[in-house]
Every structure is written in C-alpha cells, then in structure tokens.
Amino acid sequence: RGCVGLDPGLSVPSRRELPVLLVNEVGGVRGVLEAHVEFLKKYFHLITMKEFLKNKTHWSKKVQAIYLWWHKPIIDRELLESLPDLKVIANSGVGMDHLDLKLISNFGVKMANTPHAVSSSTADTGMALLLASARRVVEGCQIAVSPDTECFAADWLGDEVTGATLGIIGMGRIGYKIALRAKAFEMKILYHNRNRRTEEEEQAVGAIYCTKIEDLLQQSDFVMLVVSLTPQTHKLIGKRELELMKPTATLINIGRGRVQCNGPIAQPLIPRFSRDHPLLKLKNILITPHLGIRTDETTRMITEEAVANILAALNGLPIPNEVFP
C-alpha cells in the first residue's frame, strides 16, 4: 500500500494519554470510514459529535483536534467557543471553501489539508471524464442496454482525443498530473495559471503557457478546470468565456461547481447542485457524484496525511500542509 507516512520525529502518546480527536460520526454518509477507525485509534481517543453533544461539560476541555470528513462537523463560532483547548482542524481533501479560515484563526486554531493524497486519483478522474465525454461512453451504454435499440446508427460519432488540444486552467499539483496523462494521449497541452511553471516542467509535458485565459479558451478542444474555489475563481467561467470556446469544445470541471456558470457547452462536472437544477435536465452533460478521491487507496492516504498534520500540530512542530487564512 502506498502511503504518505508519518514523520518518525513525531511523538505518539501512550495509550492512557491519547489526545482527544473529534469527528462527525463513524460510517454513515458524513462519517469517517469504519475501515480507518482502527488506524485513528492508534493515535487518538476518538469521539463523535453525538458523544460530544451528549456530555459537553466533560469533553469541552479535552478535545484538541478535529478531523473533517466530507466537510463535517460544521465548524462555527459556537463549536469553537465550546472547545478552548482545540489546537488544529485537519480537513480531508484540498478544498477549504467550506471553512471560515479567518474565524478559525482568530481562535488560535491551526488548519491543514491533504493535497498530496488526493492529486493522483483526482487527475485520473479528470481524464476519465474527458475520455468518457469524448467517446460518449455513458450515452453508448444507454443505447446498448436499451430494450428499444434495434441497430446502432452509423453516424453516431464521438470526438478524437489523440492529437486534440487540451487547455488546463490551474496547473498546480493536480493540473500538472493531468498534463502528464494527456501527454500519453498525444494531446497538445495549453495551460493558464497564476504562476508559470519552469521551462523544464513545461518541456516535460510539452505544455505551452497562455498568459490570457481567452487565448486558451479559443484554441482548446477540451478545457479542464482544476482550480480551488476562491473569490477570484468564483464564476471564473461564465457566458462570455463559454462563447469564446469552440462550439464543439468540451468543458470538464473537476473543481467546485461554483467555478462556472451555466452555458451551451457539453459539460462533464462534479458539482453540488439541488435536484431540480436545470443542468440535470441537459442531454449533453455527464455529471458524477463527488467521486474524484473515492478509492480505497486514496481515502486511506488522506487519513494518514491528516493524522501527520494533527500530530505535528500537537507536538508543536511545523504542520506539513498548514493552510493560512
């Protein structure tokens, strides 16, 4: 099993004095995975929100860390005020837009995420969406299994991936891994990023930097959004940007849904939308649940990376993946 691993310099308390770690629940929709509980209990005394709320007087001054799984428990002022000895909040995953970072920092609490654990599986998901949309895999499956299908139309065609131009918006850790995968498909790679990659990094994947996002949009057959949700990226792709794209282009968003607005382009997405959202009624769209990191290997690595962050904070050491407000 590939794992992030814990710093050998971190001290692990004896069983009698394990620090208390608060989680939302074990199992269920928003709970830490049951398969990870044994590992977590090597380093912490684990309590759930239900246990905490049942006896707040007992637990308030004992909880030193919180581990968020799928954005739960909700971190608000009331919870922070009830945990005077809280030192660190460890998030599962990269995105921190569900947290009020300034509020948490004002309470003197450190924050961390798990960027290393999620990068490969998220990049895999991005390529899976690109390939599935280009070759109309889901649509084809529906035709193949339909009892009404008598023949397969000769002019039912997909899009070529080999030799096509991929524009990557956000060439961070995940974006670069997508470029590595796209190179193997002989794609032409354009990218737009806050900071330009080094010449060596660009040459390694054959990527061309676009100073203006407009240039990337106009040239790309596929556009991959790989940015975190921030005030700067909120609605980064709107009507104007979609109209700049080729009418045959495909937009793949593996970030937050709010990075883009609705538009007329074929859009494989991983958004959080209400069940009556108009995007759900479109035919030229592929939507998945939040499955970018849903592998046994990756979820285990997330928990290992989170534990390393928490132990570093509790030992007064630099936190490997600290996030600042």
Side-chain angles (χ1 to χ4, degrees):
R1 175 184 300 277
C3 63
V4 174
L6 301 179
D7 187 331
L10 294 172
S11 63
V12 180
S14 66
R15 179 63 54 182
R16 289 170 52 186
E17 55 183 27
L18 288 177
V20 175
L21 176 67
L22 176 64
V23 299
N24 190 54
E25 61 181 334
V26 174
V29 177
R30 299 278 188 171
V32 297
L33 300 183
E34 293 182 11
H36 298 179
V37 170
E38 184 179 348
F39 173 74
L40 288 169
K41 285 186 174 180
K42 290 181 181 178
Y43 304 97
F44 310 106
H45 179 92
L46 209 64
I47 67 164
T48 64
M49 277 297 292
K50 184 177 180 180
E51 293 172 298
F52 171 71
L53 294 174
K54 187 176 181 180
N55 196 350
K56 288 179 69 172
T57 304
H58 174 75
W59 291 115
S60 284
K61 293 186 178 181
K62 295 181 181 293
V63 174
Q64 296 183 57
I66 298 176
Y67 181 28
L68 300 181
W69 192 261
W70 299 121
H71 301 177
K72 299 291 184 178
I74 294 174
I75 307 299
D76 55 19
R77 181 177 293 276
E78 181 181 358
L79 181 61
L80 291 167
E81 288 176 343
S82 68
L83 300 172
D85 292 328
L86 180 65
K87 294 180 175 61
V88 61
I89 296 172
N91 185 54
S92 60
V94 178
M96 304 287 278
D97 52 280
H98 55 290
L99 295 171
D100 187 334
L101 301 184
K102 288 185 178 179
L103 173 67
I104 295 168
S105 180
N106 288 340
F107 278 84
V109 177
K110 304 286 188 180
M111 295 161 285
N113 61 1
T114 58
H116 300 281
V118 305
S119 57
S120 292
S121 61
T122 305
D124 288 346
T125 301
M127 287 305 296
L129 287 171
L130 189 155
L131 293 166
S133 60
R135 301 312 303 270
R136 303 171 70 177
V137 171
V138 175
E139 225 180 317
C141 178
Q142 292 171 343
I143 292 171
V145 301
S146 172
D148 300 324
T149 299
E150 296 182 1
C151 62
F152 193 65
D155 60 352
W156 193 90
L157 304 172
D159 298 318
E160 194 76 25
V161 172
T162 302
T165 298
L166 170 63
I168 300 173
I169 300 177
M171 188 70 110
R173 185 179 289 105
I174 296 171
Y176 195 75
K177 289 197 172 188
I178 288 168
L180 287 168
R181 286 155 175 73
K183 182 187 178 186
F185 282 89
E186 302 174 24
M187 301 187 80
K188 300 170 186 174
I189 302 168
L190 308 177
Y191 79 98
H192 175 78
N193 200 45
R194 284 180 303 176
N195 302 308
R196 184 170 181 172
R197 286 278 183 168
T198 65
E199 185 177 348
E200 292 75 17
E201 290 171 330
E202 288 180 348
Q203 290 178 350
V205 294
I208 298 172
Y209 180 66
C210 293
T211 305
K212 297 181 178 180
I213 195 172
E214 291 83 359
D215 294 336
L216 178 148
L217 294 171
Q218 289 173 335
Q219 298 178 61
S220 299
D221 300 303
F222 299 90
V223 175
M224 186 91 69
L225 292 177
V226 202
V227 295
S228 300
L229 179 60
T230 66
Q232 293 72 36
T233 62
H234 182 233
K235 295 186 178 180
L236 177 68
I237 302 296
K239 184 175 184 292
R240 172 183 170 274
E241 288 74 24
L242 291 171
E243 288 177 346
L244 287 172
M245 294 172 63
K246 299 176 183 180
T248 56
T250 299
L251 177 66
I252 302 109
N253 179 10
I254 60 171
R256 299 290 192 248
R258 285 177 288 168
V259 169
Q260 70 182 83
C261 305
N262 302 348
I265 305 293
Q267 302 171 10
L269 310 171
I270 309 180
R272 271 182 285 163
F273 289 136
S274 61
R275 303 317 300 167
D276 60 351
H277 195 284
L279 278 175
L280 300 178
K281 298 177 175 63
L282 297 179
K283 300 297 183 182
N284 62 334
I285 189 169
L286 172 60
I287 300 181
T288 71
H290 198 151
L291 53 68
I293 59 174
R294 294 266 188 160
T295 71
D296 177 68
E297 191 78 6
T298 296
T299 53
R300 178 71 180 193
M301 288 170 65
I302 288 171
T303 295
E304 290 172 348
E305 194 167 1
V307 167
N309 287 328
I310 295 170
L311 291 179
L314 298 186
N315 280 277
L317 298 173
I319 302 173
N321 303 298
E322 185 169 0
V323 176
F324 300 92

